[in-house]
Amino acid sequence: MELTTVWFGLIAVLWAGYFLLEGFDFGVGILLPVLGRDDRERRLLINTIGPVWDGNEVWLLVAGGATFAAFPEWYATLFSGFFLPLLIILVALIVRGVAFEYRGKRDEAEWKRRWDLCIIVGSLVPALLWGVAFGNIVRGVRLDADHEYVGGFFNLLNPYALLGGLTTLVLFTLHGAVFLALKTGGEMRERAGALAARLAVPAIAVAGAFLLWTALAHHDAAGWALSAVAALSLVGAALATRVRREGWAFLATAATIVLAVFALFVTLFPNVMPSTIADANSLTTTNAASTPYTLKVMTWVAVIFTPVVLAYQGWTYWVFRKRLTVEHIPASPIPVSPAPAGAATEAR
């Protein structure tokens, strides 16, 4: 197998891992105003992802870095052509990360409300736009003979890509609800489980329509098979949520996301960015790749360091595996106004 094919597959794995892990982070953020009835419950929801959300974002950095190193032409065309939506995603992720850190710095209700809004928007926007971006990559965009994007921003807002964005949005929201049912206890567990059961039906409808559209448009046998298994996994997740088997439901939604990403990459191969103007203008794993020496060095680095990173992240999830309840969250301290100087003197 050629190293270009190997690295195309590894990039698919990295994106699948990112959507799997960051997907439930986004879902928790989106559901913050739905399941968090008061400040203490919202703090509980944030604490379920508090130890892991920044580690999950590392998968995005590695996926982007691997694309830059293995397929620089793909990286250059993607980040120049999709500059505005990717910039919006980046700003949303930054604001969301700042919100996690600053929300608890002050106890005023308005302060927390504003940062909660940042968490919600910073989760919802990437959950939507990542699907739009990948929908356009699979569908193809306007690339000229120099492999440069010559379309406009509104060309990216086509029906197929918008359906892809809606698909990632509903899948990540369902994934987050299932994660919360798995990670919390007491009343929050029950509410999250009930919400997940309700979200499963629209998720099946939207994701099923997107996968079917993809399969019909590209007629790829492997893509058909992966899409079918992904759809069955999503149905399994719906059934598991109804009987409150959170562990099985989470495995099923995770499998759905991973298989759906693999289906898109299999359908895309050997292209990495098809052109809708002419097939000759498309970027492929061959004309977008780095030199063989670069790919060899990257392969050795990946073989050495990937197991270390996976072991560390697995250990992190093991350490923070326990369920959380509202009782684990201390009540917010009530600010006490300093006593007047005269009163302090009299007290003595």
Side-chain angles (χ1 to χ4, degrees):
M1 183 182 294
E2 296 181 355
L3 286 180
T4 53
T5 304
V6 171
W7 274 99
F8 180 82
L10 288 176
I11 290 172
V13 170
L14 291 171
W15 279 108
Y18 172 67
F19 287 150
L20 164 62
L21 298 175
E22 190 81 316
F24 66 74
D25 284 358
F26 290 149
V28 171
I30 292 168
L31 295 174
L32 194 64
V34 179
L35 293 174
R37 296 176 176 175
D38 55 33
D39 177 64
R40 202 172 180 187
E41 290 188 347
R42 288 190 287 273
R43 287 161 60 202
L44 168 64
L45 299 181
I46 294 172
N47 281 353
T48 61
I49 59 174
V52 297
W53 70 267
D54 50 354
N56 294 342
E57 288 193 349
V58 171
W59 287 76
L60 173 61
L61 300 177
V62 178
T67 304
F68 172 77
F71 300 102
E73 288 283 345
W74 184 14
Y75 182 93
T77 301
L78 177 64
F79 278 78
S80 60
F82 291 18
F83 177 78
L84 182 56
L86 292 177
L87 177 63
I88 294 173
I89 290 174
L90 178 61
V91 171
L93 292 176
I94 292 173
V95 170
R96 174 173 168 266
V98 172
F100 283 139
E101 299 297 330
Y102 275 77
R103 184 187 187 278
K105 298 299 183 182
R106 293 168 60 179
D107 202 52
E108 290 88 345
E110 183 64 19
W111 171 271
K112 293 185 176 181
R113 187 191 67 80
R114 290 174 179 175
W115 288 120
D116 285 345
L117 180 61
C118 290
I119 293 173
I120 297 163
V121 175
S123 300
L124 189 150
V125 169
L128 176 67
L129 291 186
W130 279 129
V132 174
F134 271 87
N136 278 291
I137 292 173
V138 174
R139 173 183 177 270
V141 293
R142 295 179 56 82
L143 299 182
D144 62 15
D146 295 322
H147 307 306
E148 294 183 359
Y149 178 65
V150 293
F153 172 74
F154 291 101
N155 294 120
L156 302 176
L157 303 180
N158 54 81
Y160 176 77
L162 291 175
L163 181 60
L166 188 59
T167 298
T168 52
L169 179 61
V170 297
L171 280 181
F172 292 166
T173 305
L174 172 62
H175 196 41
V178 172
F179 172 79
L180 288 173
L182 178 65
K183 185 64 178 175
T184 60
E187 184 184 354
M188 182 61 73
R189 176 186 179 183
E190 295 300 318
R191 297 210 309 263
L195 179 60
R198 293 196 299 271
L199 289 172
V201 175
I204 291 174
V206 174
F210 178 71
L211 292 173
L212 181 61
W213 189 344
T214 304
L216 290 174
H218 295 275
H219 304 291
D220 185 271
W224 268 101
L226 288 170
S227 297
V229 178
L232 290 174
S233 297
L234 190 54
V235 172
L239 295 176
T241 58
R242 292 189 177 277
V243 295
R244 297 297 192 271
R245 299 297 298 271
E246 295 96 349
W248 286 109
F250 184 78
L251 289 176
T253 54
T256 299
I257 292 171
V258 171
L259 290 169
V261 173
F262 286 168
L264 294 181
F265 272 84
V266 167
T267 301
L268 187 62
F269 185 81
N271 294 319
V272 295
M273 207 163 183
S275 171
T276 57
I277 297 178
D279 290 340
N281 298 350
S282 298
L283 283 169
T284 68
T285 55
T286 301
N287 63 22
S290 292
T291 63
Y293 178 77
T294 300
L295 294 177
K296 287 180 182 178
V297 173
M298 290 177 59
T299 303
W300 280 110
V301 171
V303 168
I304 294 171
F305 289 102
T306 300
V308 177
V309 175
L310 291 177
Y312 172 76
Q313 192 160 27
W315 175 78
T316 302
Y317 274 92
W318 175 256
V319 169
F320 295 102
R321 67 188 183 278
K322 299 294 186 180
R323 289 182 183 270
L324 297 178
T325 63
V326 175
E327 287 70 27
H328 291 114
I329 308 300
S332 297
I334 301 175
V336 179
S337 300
T345 303
E346 292 175 3
R348 294 191 187 96

